[in-house]
Amino acid sequence: MPTTAPPPAAAPAHPGPPPSRRHETVGALAVALRRAAPALLGYAAVRALGTLVLMKWAHARHHGLWPLLATQWDSGWYLGIAGHGYEHTLGHDFHENNLAFFPLYPVLIKAVAAVTPGSRATAGLLIAVGCSLLAAWGVFAVGDRLHGRRVGTALAVLWGAAPVAVIEWMGYTESLFTALAAWSLYAVLTGRWLAAGGLALLAGLTRPTGLALAAAVSLCALLALRRRPGGAAAAAPAPRLLAAALLAPLGWLGYVGWVGLRLGRADGYFAVQKMWHNEWDGGVQTLRSLRSILGYQARPQLFYVVISLVLIGSGVLYVLCVADRQPLPLLVFSGVLLAIVLGSGGVYFPRARFLLPGFPLLLPLARGIVRARRRTAVLALGGAALASAYVGAYMMLVYTGAP
């Protein structure tokens, strides 16, 4: 019986080109954004509440909201740098030299204002609000990485409900710096060393406390390099670890060195800080101020009481962070940040603001809220949001000094 050959197998469908790295990156970002959505919505709701309270209070006092947020106090200094550049001499007047302000934020203001129809003040405010959302996302990412989505969400909302969180939607550098710090620390936790070093470099061009982030990234990179012959760190290439350790402090060192060259003296940056009455004294002035406000003044101003409680609470929270055995990058960052802020002999009123980027300090609170009953957690977060809204409006409209 004759046999016939089987029909040829159908040709497999063409699988098409492999997905590009760009598509994979966009897809990963979309997934990450969906995961962070509750945290970002919660953060935005808290800050919107604070802004609404401030707007109503300002209207009652016949003040405009936009000038309060975009042009006052340090905002004016950054706008001046964006428009006219830096001083060439040290000068003789206290609190008048703009070399005390780091350059990244005014550079961004100038760049954004050059390609948008609004004013530089509008550009500065948009940058701050946009960076606050990036910061909240980074804060969530760190909390999610360490303890899961619920803790990350609570952490982001708590950061938005800090006592002086009104600053996060003002023309200040705290939001930009926190975004850089959060994503740099996340990069360290996930082994992305070059990204960590680059972001730390940019943070060092944003605020003096960029030194805290540089210390965290450089120290952890060097420790990972030392452990590299064995253990989990063996997967990190030595050149990347070394590059991260070297990159991280370059922003801070570069600006400090540039100020010295501009003024023609090696201690130029520190001389500028003296003109702002800002020197490190190991905490002597901080302790004196705490004792005076909480111990000797019969009716201390509310804002100074809030600052004092934030400083004390931050110290207590750091002890809890150490007891919880937080990862070393977070402990180093928070510890050096606290040492800089608490050890400063300068003005007292901005200390709570200077600690805003220290979001790892809030991790013990976020974990406690997540472990609590739902009603307790809602009351805790809602109470923090309302208190933040009140303190923020009070700081801007009743307190007579700079925030």
Side-chain angles (χ1 to χ4, degrees), residues 42-52 159-162 165-169 388-389:
Y43 170 79
V46 168
R47 292 303 341 125
L49 172 65
T51 304
L52 179 61
W159 182 68
V166 65
I167 297 294
E168 295 166 11
W169 283 13
S388 175

Side-chain angles (χ1 to χ4, degrees), residues 263-339:
L263 296 180
R265 49 188 292 180
D267 67 338
Y269 171 75
F270 302 99
V272 170
Q273 290 296 332
K274 287 183 180 179
M275 298 297 290
W276 285 84
H277 298 290
N278 193 16
E279 297 180 79
W280 200 83
D281 66 0
V284 174
Q285 185 59 44
T286 301
L287 290 175
R288 287 175 178 168
S289 297
L290 285 171
R291 183 178 62 179
S292 172
I293 293 167
L294 300 181
Y296 292 105
Q297 295 183 18
R299 298 183 64 182
Q301 196 167 9
L302 174 63
F303 184 58
Y304 283 100
V305 173
V306 171
I307 295 170
S308 302
L309 294 178
V310 167
L311 298 185
I312 295 171
S314 296
V316 173
L317 287 173
Y318 187 72
V319 173
L320 294 177
C321 292
V322 174
D324 285 345
R325 298 184 179 181
Q326 276 188 12
L328 184 62
L330 274 60
L331 289 176
V332 174
F333 171 66
S334 299
V336 177
L337 181 66
L338 277 171

Side-chain angles (χ1 to χ4, degrees), residues 54-55 57-65 67-68 72 396-397:
L54 176 61
M55 180 179 67
W57 200 334
H59 179 73
R61 287 175 167 260
H62 305 289
H63 290 291
L65 178 65
L68 286 174
Q72 288 203 54
M396 299 296 293
L397 297 167

Side-chain angles (χ1 to χ4, degrees), residues 33 49 93 110 119 126 173 209 216 235 291 331 353 356 377 385:
L33 184 57
L49 172 65
D93 297 327
K110 188 172 183 178
S119 65
L126 290 175
T173 58
T209 45
R291 183 178 62 179
L331 289 176
R353 170 168 66 88
L356 262 182

Side-chain angles (χ1 to χ4, degrees), residues 12-29:
H14 194 279
S20 67
R21 180 171 296 180
R22 178 182 178 185
H23 289 164
E24 292 177 352
T25 301
V26 171
L29 283 174

Side-chain angles (χ1 to χ4, degrees), residues 49-385:
L49 172 65
T51 304
L52 179 61
V53 171
L54 176 61
M55 180 179 67
K56 292 293 187 181
W57 200 334
H59 179 73
R61 287 175 167 260
H62 305 289
H63 290 291
L65 178 65
W66 187 87
L68 286 174
L69 299 178
T71 63
Q72 288 203 54
W73 306 111
D74 285 9
S75 302
W77 285 101
Y78 290 116
L79 293 173
I81 294 168
H84 309 291
Y86 282 105
E87 301 285 348
H88 288 83
T89 60
L90 184 61
H92 302 285
D93 297 327
F94 288 100
H95 303 128
E96 291 296 330
N97 196 304
N98 66 6
L99 287 166
F101 298 88
F102 279 53
L104 182 58
Y105 183 55
V107 167
L108 291 176
I109 291 174
K110 188 172 183 178
V112 172
V115 296
T116 57
S119 65
R120 288 195 178 100
T122 301
L125 191 56
L126 290 175
I127 291 168
V129 174
C131 285
S132 77
L133 295 173
L134 288 175
W137 190 357
V139 170
F140 164 81
V142 171
D144 183 27
R145 173 81 181 180
L146 296 177
H147 302 292
R149 189 181 191 185
R150 294 179 65 199
V151 171
T153 300
L155 185 63
V157 173
L158 281 173
W159 182 68
V164 294
V166 65
I167 297 294
E168 295 166 11
W169 283 13
M170 288 179 63
Y172 276 54
T173 58
E174 273 69 23
S175 291
L176 173 60
F177 182 76
T178 305
L180 294 168
W183 285 110
S184 179
L185 292 171
Y186 179 78
V188 173
L189 294 175
T190 55
R192 296 173 172 88
W193 290 101
L194 289 181
L199 291 169
L201 184 155
L202 293 175
L205 291 170
T206 305
R207 290 198 58 77
T209 45
L211 187 61
L213 184 61
V217 174
S218 294
L219 176 62
C220 293
L222 292 174
L223 289 175
L225 185 63
R226 182 178 180 181
R227 294 194 301 264
R228 193 174 177 275
R240 293 189 180 186
L241 291 170
L242 186 58
L246 294 175
L247 277 174
L250 283 185
W252 190 89
L253 291 173
Y255 181 68
V256 170
W258 179 82
V259 172
L261 290 174
R262 192 172 183 84
L263 296 180
R265 49 188 292 180
D267 67 338
Y269 171 75
F270 302 99
V272 170
Q273 290 296 332
K274 287 183 180 179
M275 298 297 290
W276 285 84
H277 298 290
N278 193 16
E279 297 180 79
W280 200 83
D281 66 0
V284 174
Q285 185 59 44
T286 301
L287 290 175
R288 287 175 178 168
S289 297
L290 285 171
R291 183 178 62 179
S292 172
I293 293 167
L294 300 181
Y296 292 105
Q297 295 183 18
R299 298 183 64 182
Q301 196 167 9
L302 174 63
F303 184 58
Y304 283 100
V305 173
V306 171
I307 295 170
S308 302
L309 294 178
V310 167
L311 298 185
I312 295 171
S314 296
V316 173
L317 287 173
Y318 187 72
V319 173
L320 294 177
C321 292
V322 174
D324 285 345
R325 298 184 179 181
Q326 276 188 12
L328 184 62
L330 274 60
L331 289 176
V332 174
F333 171 66
S334 299
V336 177
L337 181 66
L338 277 171
I340 294 172
V341 175
L342 298 182
S344 172
V347 290
Y348 191 72
F349 55 81
R351 305 292 182 91
R353 170 168 66 88
F354 292 165
L355 287 175
L356 262 182
F359 69 91
L361 295 170
L362 300 173
L363 265 172
L365 296 178
R367 295 181 67 190
I369 286 173
V370 168
R371 289 194 296 262
R373 295 180 178 178
R374 182 182 296 272
R375 182 179 179 181
T376 303
V378 170
L379 288 175
L381 292 175

